[in-house]
Amino acid sequence: MSIEIANESGVDVDTDAVLAVARHALDEMGVNPLAELSVLLVDVEYMTELNHHWMGGDGPTDVLAFPMDEGSVDHGPGESAPAGGEPALLGDIVLCPEVAAKQAATAGHTPADELHLLTVHGVLHLLGYDHAEPEEEREMFGLQARLLASWRSTRTQ
């Protein structure tokens, strides 16, 4: 699994842990090992621009997920989609550590814990999960909690 991460936020972040939690979530969800994911950490100003442009929101948000539409990917002549029908390019997750830190303070946990939660949240969005309806929210947030708990248990062993 290829996961690229770029920290352009100006905030010191344990990017190894962000990569590890993303990899854990993808592995646990049975995502094709050939899948590719990009994680970008940005500052408040850039997240505000992205949120406004793509979501119509005001102000910054904590996480945005941009799934790659496999149907639009041209594999070229002689190339086919990866085995199992899984997309090779999952998409991009954009995180804002400054917003995450504020949310962490409110939630009573560390900024790192909040970034891990948001990373898993973004992965689930890329895999098609949503939380617009109450039933979807229960399913997605329950899965998110289970993935985070299993990841944390592997880190304490």
Side-chain angles (χ1 to χ4, degrees):
M1 188 142 341
S2 171
I3 304 174
E4 298 291 326
I5 189 162
N7 185 356
E8 299 176 4
S9 68
V11 176
D12 187 28
V13 171
D14 181 354
T15 55
D16 289 342
V18 171
L19 286 174
V21 73
R23 186 173 310 279
H24 177 80
L26 293 168
D27 287 345
E28 290 293 309
M29 295 300 294
V31 172
N32 185 318
L34 299 176
E36 296 178 18
L37 170 67
S38 171
V39 180
L40 179 62
L41 296 107
V42 299
D43 63 18
V44 169
E45 184 180 334
Y46 191 57
M47 185 58 106
T48 300
E49 289 176 31
L50 289 175
N51 190 34
H52 177 73
H53 181 78
W54 294 104
M55 305 303 290
D58 289 326
T61 189
D62 50 5
V63 58
L64 291 171
F66 297 99
M68 177 62 70
D69 180 6
E70 177 63 13
S72 69
V73 175
D74 180 8
H75 294 283
E79 291 184 40
S80 60
E86 297 281 343
L89 300 172
L90 288 176
D92 303 321
I93 297 171
V94 184
L95 302 168
C96 186
E98 292 172 83
V99 173
K102 288 178 184 166
Q103 291 176 178
T106 301
H109 54 241
T110 69
D113 285 339
E114 186 72 12
L115 279 175
H116 303 156
L117 179 149
L118 294 173
T119 301
V120 171
H121 189 86
V123 165
L124 291 175
H125 272 308
L126 292 181
L127 297 177
Y129 289 86
D130 201 358
H131 47 86
E133 300 296 325
E135 188 172 312
E136 293 174 333
E137 182 176 330
R138 278 190 299 278
E139 179 184 13
M140 183 176 179
F141 283 53
L143 183 54
Q144 178 177 290
R146 286 191 300 278
L147 289 169
L148 282 167
S150 67
W151 180 70
R152 288 182 182 129
S153 73
T154 65
R155 290 177 54 92
T156 58
Q157 294 176 356

